[in-house]
Amino acid sequence: MITQIRTLSPGFLLAALVGLAAQGVGNHYDAPVMLFALLFGIALSFLHARPNLQPGIDWTGRTVLRLGIGLLGIRIAFQDLFALGWTMAAVIVSGIVTTIFLGVFLAKWMKLRTELGILTGGAVGICGASAAMAISAVLPNHKSKEQETVLAIIGVTALSTAAMVLYPLLASFFGLDEHQAGIFFGGAIHDVAQVVGAGYSVSEGTGDLATLTKLVRVSLLVPVVMALLFWFRKRHAEAGEGKVPGLPLFLIGFFALMLLNSLVDIPPVLKDATATLSRFALVFAIAAIGVKSHLQKLLTLGLKPVLLMTLETLWLTGWVLLAVLYLV
């Protein structure tokens, strides 16, 4: 145990320092912390080749990542679905499903990997960078998987930041009231932080409803990732490729915390502490993923994945906006 800690600690501490630096810069400039963590990590990617750092960096990008995703469940309760109403819940679910299918279709049309369409469609449809990392964890291994994940995180965060600025203007243009705007922001913007930023820039009520709508989308992370996992397991077994991957513990943890939060009145202090731990775990993990990435390999993916995410974003935005205009 002590030997393992000594082996992993240098790489973990590097990722943690990068993550804390990103947290400080992001808080100071009120900008996406995840994006800073990833970019700072990429800037230090030459350090991944060092034998004393590599094990800890790889462990942080894998195990700490899954811990952070699992702890996200503490923020969500099943009651959120009922509070939003079945009509809008159906719109949210259908928006996620159609965005993923659109991603698969466009990826094939652009001659990209199907898995990239699933990855970007899930990231756009569910909850941005967190969804990208969760989906990536159950995708089959491939030589370009890490580069695709990094590109998905960068793209979805950039698009989400642009949406935080543009969507309040779009809501004003279409004459949305505070209630409609809250559902629109929560249903169409990718990352939670940007949803909060857009919502509370309009009003407190809009911010509260936007956050609630967004949490409904986040709650769908587990069923979507589990569906993808079982589909890949089936394909894996049919191809006769040996041992089939099992159910990841982070999904079980996510669902267990979500269930606990639905059934038990958890003290706010404990809930806030768990949510904070989750946030730092994700920031450290994404910093490690950045350190593991190489910019030169990232550039070889070209502009097609960026176009793919942009089209997926436009689709989801149009879907939710039409629903808000005609159903709310």
Side-chain angles (χ1 to χ4, degrees), residues 98-146:
T98 56
T99 302
I100 293 174
F101 276 106
L102 177 67
V104 171
F105 171 78
L106 291 175
K108 290 182 178 179
W109 180 61
M110 295 178 183
K111 294 181 170 42
L112 298 168
R113 294 198 320 123
T114 300
E115 288 80 0
L116 179 59
I118 294 172
L119 178 66
T120 56
V124 168
I126 305 174
C127 56
S130 300
M133 292 188 286
I135 292 171
S136 177
V138 300
L139 289 179
N141 289 325
H142 187 271
K143 62 181 180 181
S144 61
K145 176 180 171 180
E146 285 188 357

Tab-separated table of all heavy atoms in Angstrom, residues 98-146:
chain	number	residue	atom	x	y	z
A	98	THR	N	-32.132	12.043	-29.513
A	98	THR	CA	-31.990	12.446	-30.916
A	98	THR	C	-30.633	13.085	-31.195
A	98	THR	O	-30.083	12.927	-32.289
A	98	THR	CB	-33.109	13.429	-31.318
A	98	THR	OG1	-33.111	14.562	-30.424
A	98	THR	CG2	-34.460	12.748	-31.279
A	99	THR	N	-30.079	13.785	-30.212
A	99	THR	CA	-28.751	14.386	-30.402
A	99	THR	C	-27.688	13.314	-30.544
A	99	THR	O	-26.776	13.435	-31.383
A	99	THR	CB	-28.414	15.325	-29.227
A	99	THR	OG1	-29.411	16.349	-29.122
A	99	THR	CG2	-27.055	15.989	-29.436
A	100	ILE	N	-27.773	12.253	-29.752
A	100	ILE	CA	-26.805	11.160	-29.867
A	100	ILE	C	-26.949	10.455	-31.210
A	100	ILE	O	-25.943	10.177	-31.894
A	100	ILE	CB	-26.979	10.161	-28.709
A	100	ILE	CG1	-26.601	10.820	-27.378
A	100	ILE	CG2	-26.130	8.911	-28.937
A	100	ILE	CD1	-26.877	9.964	-26.151
A	101	PHE	N	-28.186	10.186	-31.626
A	101	PHE	CA	-28.394	9.538	-32.928
A	101	PHE	C	-27.934	10.438	-34.073
A	101	PHE	O	-27.373	9.960	-35.069
A	101	PHE	CB	-29.859	9.150	-33.107
A	101	PHE	CG	-30.209	7.829	-32.489
A	101	PHE	CD1	-30.939	7.773	-31.310
A	101	PHE	CD2	-29.788	6.634	-33.062
A	101	PHE	CE1	-31.256	6.555	-30.721
A	101	PHE	CE2	-30.099	5.411	-32.488
A	101	PHE	CZ	-30.834	5.363	-31.307
A	102	LEU	N	-28.171	11.729	-33.941
A	102	LEU	CA	-27.680	12.668	-34.949
A	102	LEU	C	-26.159	12.632	-35.003
A	102	LEU	O	-25.557	12.661	-36.097
A	102	LEU	CB	-28.156	14.082	-34.628
A	102	LEU	CG	-27.659	15.178	-35.576
A	102	LEU	CD1	-28.265	15.008	-36.969
A	102	LEU	CD2	-27.992	16.572	-35.024
A	103	GLY	N	-25.517	12.576	-33.828
A	103	GLY	CA	-24.061	12.493	-33.783
A	103	GLY	C	-23.540	11.269	-34.510
A	103	GLY	O	-22.551	11.342	-35.265
A	104	VAL	N	-24.186	10.130	-34.308
A	104	VAL	CA	-23.781	8.897	-34.990
A	104	VAL	C	-23.950	9.046	-36.500
A	104	VAL	O	-23.059	8.686	-37.286
A	104	VAL	CB	-24.605	7.700	-34.471
A	104	VAL	CG1	-24.347	6.455	-35.320
A	104	VAL	CG2	-24.262	7.420	-33.012
A	105	PHE	N	-25.112	9.585	-36.933
A	105	PHE	CA	-25.387	9.764	-38.362
A	105	PHE	C	-24.363	10.699	-39.004
A	105	PHE	O	-23.796	10.402	-40.069
A	105	PHE	CB	-26.804	10.313	-38.553
A	105	PHE	CG	-27.098	10.737	-39.962
A	105	PHE	CD1	-27.382	9.795	-40.936
A	105	PHE	CD2	-27.085	12.088	-40.307
A	105	PHE	CE1	-27.647	10.192	-42.253
A	105	PHE	CE2	-27.338	12.484	-41.601
A	105	PHE	CZ	-27.627	11.537	-42.585
A	106	LEU	N	-24.126	11.858	-38.358
A	106	LEU	CA	-23.190	12.835	-38.915
A	106	LEU	C	-21.758	12.301	-38.930
A	106	LEU	O	-21.002	12.584	-39.868
A	106	LEU	CB	-23.256	14.138	-38.121
A	106	LEU	CG	-24.550	14.956	-38.262
A	106	LEU	CD1	-24.516	16.158	-37.323
A	106	LEU	CD2	-24.749	15.410	-39.701
A	107	ALA	N	-21.392	11.537	-37.893
A	107	ALA	CA	-20.043	10.967	-37.848
A	107	ALA	C	-19.816	10.026	-39.029
A	107	ALA	O	-18.751	10.054	-39.680
A	107	ALA	CB	-19.829	10.236	-36.529
A	108	LYS	N	-20.816	9.204	-39.326
A	108	LYS	CA	-20.702	8.303	-40.480
A	108	LYS	C	-20.647	9.094	-41.783
A	108	LYS	O	-19.878	8.775	-42.684
A	108	LYS	CB	-21.876	7.329	-40.492
A	108	LYS	CG	-21.837	6.293	-39.380
A	108	LYS	CD	-23.010	5.330	-39.472
A	108	LYS	CE	-22.929	4.258	-38.388
A	108	LYS	NZ	-24.080	3.323	-38.446
A	109	TRP	N	-21.484	10.137	-41.870
A	109	TRP	CA	-21.519	10.963	-43.069
A	109	TRP	C	-20.190	11.682	-43.296
A	109	TRP	O	-19.739	11.849	-44.435
A	109	TRP	CB	-22.661	11.967	-42.953
A	109	TRP	CG	-22.799	12.865	-44.139
A	109	TRP	CD1	-23.049	12.516	-45.433
A	109	TRP	CD2	-22.684	14.295	-44.123
A	109	TRP	NE1	-23.107	13.629	-46.230
A	109	TRP	CE2	-22.889	14.737	-45.459
A	109	TRP	CE3	-22.446	15.233	-43.117
A	109	TRP	CZ2	-22.857	16.083	-45.809
A	109	TRP	CZ3	-22.422	16.575	-43.461
A	109	TRP	CH2	-22.619	16.977	-44.793
A	110	MET	N	-19.558	12.108	-42.195
A	110	MET	CA	-18.272	12.802	-42.282
A	110	MET	C	-17.082	11.839	-42.334
A	110	MET	O	-15.937	12.269	-42.304
A	110	MET	CB	-18.107	13.748	-41.087
A	110	MET	CG	-19.081	14.892	-41.047
A	110	MET	SD	-18.820	15.913	-39.558
A	110	MET	CE	-20.142	17.118	-39.740
A	111	LYS	N	-17.390	10.529	-42.325
A	111	LYS	CA	-16.344	9.492	-42.327
A	111	LYS	C	-15.465	9.560	-41.067
A	111	LYS	O	-14.248	9.385	-41.127
A	111	LYS	CB	-15.492	9.570	-43.594
A	111	LYS	CG	-16.288	9.240	-44.858
A	111	LYS	CD	-15.424	9.299	-46.100
A	111	LYS	CE	-16.137	8.736	-47.326
A	111	LYS	NZ	-17.533	9.089	-47.498
A	112	LEU	N	-16.132	9.821	-39.949
A	112	LEU	CA	-15.486	9.778	-38.644
A	112	LEU	C	-15.913	8.505	-37.926
A	112	LEU	O	-16.842	7.821	-38.350
A	112	LEU	CB	-15.879	11.003	-37.808
A	112	LEU	CG	-15.486	12.370	-38.371
A	112	LEU	CD1	-16.177	13.484	-37.602
A	112	LEU	CD2	-13.974	12.562	-38.340
A	113	ARG	N	-15.284	8.193	-36.815
A	113	ARG	CA	-15.647	6.994	-36.058
A	113	ARG	C	-17.030	7.166	-35.419
A	113	ARG	O	-17.368	8.229	-34.929
A	113	ARG	CB	-14.614	6.712	-34.966
A	113	ARG	CG	-13.253	6.341	-35.479
A	113	ARG	CD	-12.380	5.653	-34.453
A	113	ARG	NE	-12.483	6.202	-33.128
A	113	ARG	CZ	-12.825	5.479	-32.052
A	113	ARG	NH1	-13.108	4.201	-32.170
A	113	ARG	NH2	-12.870	6.035	-30.860
A	114	THR	N	-17.800	6.079	-35.440
A	114	THR	CA	-19.125	6.094	-34.816
A	114	THR	C	-19.025	6.473	-33.342
A	114	THR	O	-19.863	7.217	-32.815
A	114	THR	CB	-19.783	4.713	-34.947
A	114	THR	OG1	-19.921	4.385	-36.327
A	114	THR	CG2	-21.160	4.697	-34.287
A	115	GLU	N	-17.987	5.967	-32.659
A	115	GLU	CA	-17.801	6.255	-31.239
A	115	GLU	C	-17.624	7.746	-30.983
A	115	GLU	O	-18.026	8.257	-29.932
A	115	GLU	CB	-16.597	5.485	-30.694
A	115	GLU	CG	-16.807	3.999	-30.536
A	115	GLU	CD	-16.658	3.210	-31.827
A	115	GLU	OE1	-16.378	3.833	-32.877
A	115	GLU	OE2	-16.833	1.980	-31.809
A	116	LEU	N	-17.036	8.468	-31.936
A	116	LEU	CA	-16.883	9.913	-31.774
A	116	LEU	C	-18.242	10.597	-31.822
A	116	LEU	O	-18.506	11.543	-31.066
A	116	LEU	CB	-15.969	10.480	-32.855
A	116	LEU	CG	-15.741	12.001	-32.817
A	116	LEU	CD1	-15.130	12.420	-31.484
A	116	LEU	CD2	-14.847	12.441	-33.971
A	117	GLY	N	-19.131	10.119	-32.692
A	117	GLY	CA	-20.486	10.665	-32.744
A	117	GLY	C	-21.244	10.426	-31.458
A	117	GLY	O	-21.982	11.299	-30.978
A	118	ILE	N	-21.069	9.236	-30.864
A	118	ILE	CA	-21.703	8.929	-29.575
A	118	ILE	C	-21.132	9.828	-28.476
A	118	ILE	O	-21.874	10.384	-27.656
A	118	ILE	CB	-21.486	7.448	-29.214
A	118	ILE	CG1	-22.232	6.552	-30.210
A	118	ILE	CG2	-21.948	7.158	-27.785
A	118	ILE	CD1	-21.915	5.079	-30.059
A	119	LEU	N	-19.822	9.969	-28.469
A	119	LEU	CA	-19.141	10.768	-27.451
A	119	LEU	C	-19.580	12.228	-27.499
A	119	LEU	O	-19.977	12.809	-26.483
A	119	LEU	CB	-17.626	10.660	-27.651
A	119	LEU	CG	-16.734	11.475	-26.718
A	119	LEU	CD1	-16.854	10.965	-25.292
A	119	LEU	CD2	-15.278	11.405	-27.181
A	120	THR	N	-19.541	12.825	-28.679
A	120	THR	CA	-19.909	14.241	-28.798
A	120	THR	C	-21.405	14.444	-28.615
A	120	THR	O	-21.839	15.416	-27.992
A	120	THR	CB	-19.470	14.802	-30.162
A	120	THR	OG1	-20.044	14.005	-31.215
A	120	THR	CG2	-17.951	14.788	-30.290
A	121	GLY	N	-22.215	13.523	-29.153
A	121	GLY	CA	-23.665	13.637	-28.986
A	121	GLY	C	-24.071	13.555	-27.528
A	121	GLY	O	-24.932	14.312	-27.064
A	122	GLY	N	-23.438	12.657	-26.784
A	122	GLY	CA	-23.726	12.540	-25.355
A	122	GLY	C	-23.260	13.749	-24.575
A	122	GLY	O	-23.943	14.219	-23.659
A	123	ALA	N	-22.089	14.279	-24.934
A	123	ALA	CA	-21.560	15.458	-24.245
A	123	ALA	C	-22.458	16.667	-24.466
A	123	ALA	O	-22.771	17.413	-23.529
A	123	ALA	CB	-20.143	15.755	-24.726
A	124	VAL	N	-22.891	16.865	-25.698
A	124	VAL	CA	-23.773	17.986	-26.022
A	124	VAL	C	-25.151	17.787	-25.384
A	124	VAL	O	-25.738	18.706	-24.818
A	124	VAL	CB	-23.905	18.146	-27.554
A	124	VAL	CG1	-25.043	19.101	-27.908
A	124	VAL	CG2	-22.598	18.636	-28.151
A	125	GLY	N	-25.675	16.569	-25.465
A	125	GLY	CA	-27.037	16.309	-25.019
A	125	GLY	C	-27.217	16.274	-23.515
A	125	GLY	O	-28.268	16.665	-23.011
A	126	ILE	N	-26.188	15.813	-22.776
A	126	ILE	CA	-26.388	15.575	-21.338
A	126	ILE	C	-25.775	16.681	-20.475
A	126	ILE	O	-26.487	17.555	-19.994
A	126	ILE	CB	-25.828	14.195	-20.925
A	126	ILE	CG1	-26.442	13.102	-21.798
A	126	ILE	CG2	-26.142	13.906	-19.454
A	126	ILE	CD1	-25.855	11.728	-21.590
A	127	CYS	N	-24.481	16.641	-20.283
A	127	CYS	CA	-23.912	17.632	-19.342
A	127	CYS	C	-22.462	17.979	-19.654
A	127	CYS	O	-21.623	18.037	-18.754
A	127	CYS	CB	-24.055	17.151	-17.899
A	127	CYS	SG	-23.335	15.527	-17.550
A	128	GLY	N	-22.157	18.171	-20.927
A	128	GLY	CA	-20.867	18.713	-21.294
A	128	GLY	C	-19.676	17.840	-20.973
A	128	GLY	O	-19.653	16.638	-21.250
A	129	ALA	N	-18.658	18.448	-20.342
A	129	ALA	CA	-17.387	17.769	-20.100
A	129	ALA	C	-17.544	16.530	-19.221
A	129	ALA	O	-16.912	15.505	-19.462
A	129	ALA	CB	-16.394	18.740	-19.453
A	130	SER	N	-18.403	16.602	-18.186
A	130	SER	CA	-18.606	15.444	-17.301
A	130	SER	C	-19.158	14.256	-18.076
A	130	SER	O	-18.737	13.118	-17.884
A	130	SER	CB	-19.558	15.810	-16.162
A	130	SER	OG	-19.043	16.874	-15.396
A	131	ALA	N	-20.124	14.515	-18.966
A	131	ALA	CA	-20.698	13.436	-19.776
A	131	ALA	C	-19.668	12.879	-20.742
A	131	ALA	O	-19.605	11.669	-20.969
A	131	ALA	CB	-21.917	13.945	-20.535
A	132	ALA	N	-18.854	13.756	-21.319
A	132	ALA	CA	-17.818	13.295	-22.238
A	132	ALA	C	-16.865	12.330	-21.543
A	132	ALA	O	-16.506	11.278	-22.091
A	132	ALA	CB	-17.041	14.490	-22.801
A	133	MET	N	-16.479	12.659	-20.314
A	133	MET	CA	-15.550	11.798	-19.580
A	133	MET	C	-16.209	10.489	-19.160
A	133	MET	O	-15.597	9.426	-19.193
A	133	MET	CB	-15.001	12.556	-18.372
A	133	MET	CG	-14.092	13.714	-18.763
A	133	MET	SD	-13.253	14.496	-17.352
A	133	MET	CE	-14.612	15.400	-16.607
A	134	ALA	N	-17.491	10.571	-18.754
A	134	ALA	CA	-18.203	9.358	-18.334
A	134	ALA	C	-18.410	8.413	-19.510
A	134	ALA	O	-18.204	7.202	-19.400
A	134	ALA	CB	-19.540	9.730	-17.715
A	135	ILE	N	-18.829	8.953	-20.652
A	135	ILE	CA	-19.050	8.124	-21.839
A	135	ILE	C	-17.737	7.548	-22.346
A	135	ILE	O	-17.653	6.376	-22.732
A	135	ILE	CB	-19.759	8.947	-22.932
A	135	ILE	CG1	-21.185	9.274	-22.484
A	135	ILE	CG2	-19.787	8.189	-24.264
A	135	ILE	CD1	-21.898	10.268	-23.382
A	136	SER	N	-16.692	8.359	-22.323
A	136	SER	CA	-15.378	7.882	-22.763
A	136	SER	C	-14.910	6.685	-21.939
A	136	SER	O	-14.255	5.776	-22.459
A	136	SER	CB	-14.354	9.022	-22.664
A	136	SER	OG	-13.065	8.570	-23.020
A	137	ALA	N	-15.292	6.666	-20.648
A	137	ALA	CA	-14.853	5.582	-19.760
A	137	ALA	C	-15.424	4.230	-20.156
A	137	ALA	O	-14.846	3.185	-19.807
A	137	ALA	CB	-15.244	5.907	-18.315
A	138	VAL	N	-16.555	4.204	-20.887
A	138	VAL	CA	-17.149	2.917	-21.273
A	138	VAL	C	-17.004	2.632	-22.759
A	138	VAL	O	-17.444	1.584	-23.238
A	138	VAL	CB	-18.646	2.852	-20.882
A	138	VAL	CG1	-18.814	3.021	-19.383
A	138	VAL	CG2	-19.481	3.887	-21.637
A	139	LEU	N	-16.388	3.558	-23.510
A	139	LEU	CA	-16.165	3.308	-24.933
A	139	LEU	C	-15.024	2.311	-25.121
A	139	LEU	O	-14.102	2.250	-24.302
A	139	LEU	CB	-15.821	4.616	-25.658
A	139	LEU	CG	-16.943	5.642	-25.836
A	139	LEU	CD1	-16.399	6.873	-26.554
A	139	LEU	CD2	-18.113	5.063	-26.605
A	140	PRO	N	-15.060	1.528	-26.189
A	140	PRO	CA	-13.955	0.587	-26.461
A	140	PRO	C	-12.642	1.338	-26.642
A	140	PRO	O	-12.620	2.477	-27.134
A	140	PRO	CB	-14.377	-0.080	-27.786
A	140	PRO	CG	-15.849	0.131	-27.882
A	140	PRO	CD	-16.129	1.433	-27.195
A	141	ASN	N	-11.553	0.719	-26.230
A	141	ASN	CA	-10.247	1.346	-26.374
A	141	ASN	C	-9.882	1.491	-27.847
A	141	ASN	O	-10.169	0.624	-28.667
A	141	ASN	CB	-9.178	0.518	-25.653
A	141	ASN	CG	-9.307	0.606	-24.151
A	141	ASN	OD1	-9.685	1.656	-23.621
A	141	ASN	ND2	-9.028	-0.473	-23.447
A	142	HIS	N	-9.266	2.611	-28.156
A	142	HIS	CA	-8.836	2.897	-29.528
A	142	HIS	C	-7.663	3.853	-29.441
A	142	HIS	O	-7.554	4.642	-28.491
A	142	HIS	CB	-9.989	3.515	-30.326
A	142	HIS	CG	-9.708	3.693	-31.781
A	142	HIS	ND1	-9.134	4.833	-32.297
A	142	HIS	CD2	-9.904	2.856	-32.833
A	142	HIS	CE1	-9.014	4.709	-33.613
A	142	HIS	NE2	-9.475	3.515	-33.963
A	143	LYS	N	-6.791	3.826	-30.441
A	143	LYS	CA	-5.577	4.651	-30.385
A	143	LYS	C	-5.887	6.149	-30.339
A	143	LYS	O	-5.103	6.948	-29.813
A	143	LYS	CB	-4.676	4.340	-31.581
A	143	LYS	CG	-5.310	4.640	-32.937
A	143	LYS	CD	-4.366	4.292	-34.086
A	143	LYS	CE	-5.018	4.599	-35.434
A	143	LYS	NZ	-4.110	4.248	-36.556
A	144	SER	N	-7.035	6.558	-30.898
A	144	SER	CA	-7.385	7.989	-30.906
A	144	SER	C	-8.419	8.357	-29.856
A	144	SER	O	-8.920	9.478	-29.837
A	144	SER	CB	-7.905	8.387	-32.291
A	144	SER	OG	-9.069	7.654	-32.625
A	145	LYS	N	-8.749	7.420	-28.954
A	145	LYS	CA	-9.813	7.657	-27.975
A	145	LYS	C	-9.502	8.849	-27.062
A	145	LYS	O	-10.370	9.707	-26.846
A	145	LYS	CB	-10.028	6.395	-27.138
A	145	LYS	CG	-11.051	6.540	-26.020
A	145	LYS	CD	-11.199	5.232	-25.249
A	145	LYS	CE	-12.024	5.387	-23.998
A	145	LYS	NZ	-12.173	4.127	-23.247
A	146	GLU	N	-8.306	8.928	-26.535
A	146	GLU	CA	-7.971	10.020	-25.616
A	146	GLU	C	-7.991	11.359	-26.323
A	146	GLU	O	-8.495	12.349	-25.779
A	146	GLU	CB	-6.608	9.771	-24.976
A	146	GLU	CG	-6.632	8.694	-23.903
A	146	GLU	CD	-5.326	8.608	-23.146
A	146	GLU	OE1	-4.387	9.354	-23.492
A	146	GLU	OE2	-5.243	7.799	-22.209
